[in-house]
Amino acid sequence: MIDLPLDQTAERVLDEVTGSDRSVLVEHLWTRLRTEPTGMVAELVSRIDLPTSPTSIDRTVLLERAGREAELYGDVTVRCEYLPLGWLRALSDTDTGRGLATAREKFQLLRADWALAQYERLTPPPSTGDSDRPVVVLVAGVPGTGKSTVAERLGRVVNAPVFSMDWQLGAVVGFGVLRPDNRSPMAELMMTSAVARQLSLGMSAIIDATGHTRAQRIQWRSITERMGGRFVGVECVCSDEKAQRSRLEARSRGIPCWPDTVSWEHVQHMKKLWEPWEESHLLLDSAANSPEENLRRVLDLVEGAGQ
């Protein structure tokens, strides 16, 4: 393990809550972190369930555990955000420390929110008129509904790049960076980065992703419109579960380093996670319409998006 140094803010905070015996008073540490204006630690502490027992921890032990968390996330210093994670890691063998996995997930979501906010502040390119505005099409749906088929056909017709979440994730599998706590936030951020870059060049893009949360869809719409583009939402469904399951079992997508398909249990799980799409969008049923008909309907909407 690399011995990572404390950053200045974390060192100051720890000095304020360390007793004469070099132990850190846990309750005082959480109270202090809740008022820290820098970084995202105050929000993190407010979101996670931090045990206050035992009431203290040896400073060296806390720093060693926090350093492991910082190293896990590829950081070069131990910032305040790693102190509560280090505390939970120190308690990971006890009942009170079983919230580490949940805390990591919430930390990753916070990091993603912070990064996504940077994209919201991007400067849009100069406007060249409504007819030349770029279009971002989100083709969303659970696996087996035909969304990739629609996205890929649309990309060929309108000559726009198709950014697939599975292709993005497959590219980083070999580096060992994917974990349950960072997979979704990392995928969303990579997709956002790719689309934002296209928009900054005044060019269109297509997103091929599950898009199961309302916040995710709103985020992509917001960035598109902020960058002067037009957003088109497409929700793919399949009203014939037998056909949908058959597609999943037969498909072989050929994505490097990524599974060819997913289980039916995974599809059922994603259906439960799907949040209603209340904003205006196009609904396509791959069981009721042919791929050609679905493509035509999307093209009609894309071509009329600025009207």
Side-chain angles (χ1 to χ4, degrees):
M1 188 193 79
I2 302 172
D3 186 15
L4 299 179
L6 270 171
D7 81 349
Q8 292 183 346
T9 302
E11 185 171 14
R12 183 181 69 251
V13 168
L14 276 180
D15 286 344
E16 293 175 9
V17 297
T18 300
S20 58
D21 62 350
R22 302 300 292 170
S23 65
V24 174
L25 305 177
V26 173
E27 188 172 356
H28 291 179
L29 176 61
W30 304 152
T31 299
R32 176 62 182 81
L33 291 179
R34 287 189 183 96
T35 64
E36 179 53 46
T38 60
M40 60 187 77
V41 64
E43 181 65 22
L44 177 63
V45 172
S46 71
R47 291 190 186 188
I48 60 180
D49 184 18
L50 286 165
T52 56
S53 180
T55 57
S56 66
I57 182 174
D58 181 82
R59 179 180 172 127
T60 302
V61 173
L62 178 60
L63 289 180
E64 190 270 336
R65 300 297 193 279
R68 289 188 185 181
E69 290 297 308
E71 190 177 7
L72 179 68
Y73 294 107
D75 215 329
V76 295
T77 61
V78 178
R79 296 182 286 110
C80 288
E81 287 81 1
Y82 301 117
L83 297 177
L85 297 178
W87 169 243
L88 288 172
R89 185 166 187 152
L91 299 177
S92 59
D93 293 333
T94 69
D95 288 338
T96 55
R98 289 183 177 172
L100 179 59
T102 300
R104 284 174 173 169
E105 290 177 6
K106 292 181 178 180
F107 179 50
Q108 290 287 30
L109 289 172
L110 275 173
R111 284 161 60 107
D113 288 345
W114 178 85
L116 288 169
Q118 311 304 304
Y119 288 95
E120 290 279 8
R121 293 195 285 270
L122 286 174
T123 302
S127 175
T128 57
D130 189 69
S131 62
D132 294 325
R133 290 171 66 197
V135 180
V136 171
V137 183
L138 167 61
V139 186
V142 302
T145 55
K147 66 179 181 299
S148 294
T149 298
V150 170
E152 290 164 7
R153 290 188 176 211
L154 179 64
R156 294 189 189 101
V157 172
V158 302
N159 194 29
V162 180
F163 297 113
S164 164
M165 189 167 284
D166 289 345
W167 278 81
Q168 298 269 11
L169 289 174
V172 298
V173 165
F175 295 93
V177 297
L178 290 182
R179 301 184 304 274
D181 62 295
N182 71 9
R183 181 166 153 172
S184 292
M186 184 183 296
E188 288 180 41
L189 188 57
M190 288 192 295
M191 297 288 278
T192 300
S193 174
V195 170
R197 179 53 177 158
Q198 286 295 112
L199 289 168
S200 72
L201 299 173
M203 301 170 70
S204 298
I206 299 164
I207 302 173
D208 172 12
T210 307
H212 61 282
T213 69
R214 183 172 182 268
Q216 197 175 75
R217 300 187 293 258
I218 289 176
Q219 182 80 45
W220 283 326
R221 178 186 289 273
S222 174
I223 289 175
T224 299
E225 294 176 349
R226 172 75 177 81
M227 296 295 289
R230 296 177 277 135
F231 183 86
V232 173
V234 179
E235 178 183 354
C236 294
V237 300
C238 182
S239 57
D240 185 340
E241 285 197 344
K242 184 177 179 180
Q244 183 180 1
R245 187 167 187 171
S246 178
R247 287 178 198 160
L248 287 170
E249 293 172 351
R251 74 179 183 178
S252 179
R253 296 179 294 173
I255 302 175
C257 307
W258 200 249
D260 282 331
T261 190
V262 295
S263 68
W264 183 246
E265 288 72 22
H266 176 74
V267 173
Q268 297 297 91
H269 174 67
M270 293 308 300
K271 285 183 177 181
K272 292 178 181 178
L273 295 180
W274 182 272
E275 296 178 4
W277 199 334
E278 298 170 346
E279 296 76 24
S280 176
H281 70 288
L282 175 64
L283 182 66
L284 299 179
D285 186 348
S286 60
N289 302 307
S290 68
E292 292 76 19
E293 172 63 15
N294 282 336
L295 175 60
R296 185 193 63 76
R297 293 182 63 195
V298 177
L299 280 172
D300 287 346
L301 189 59
V302 169
E303 291 169 356
Q307 299 177 3

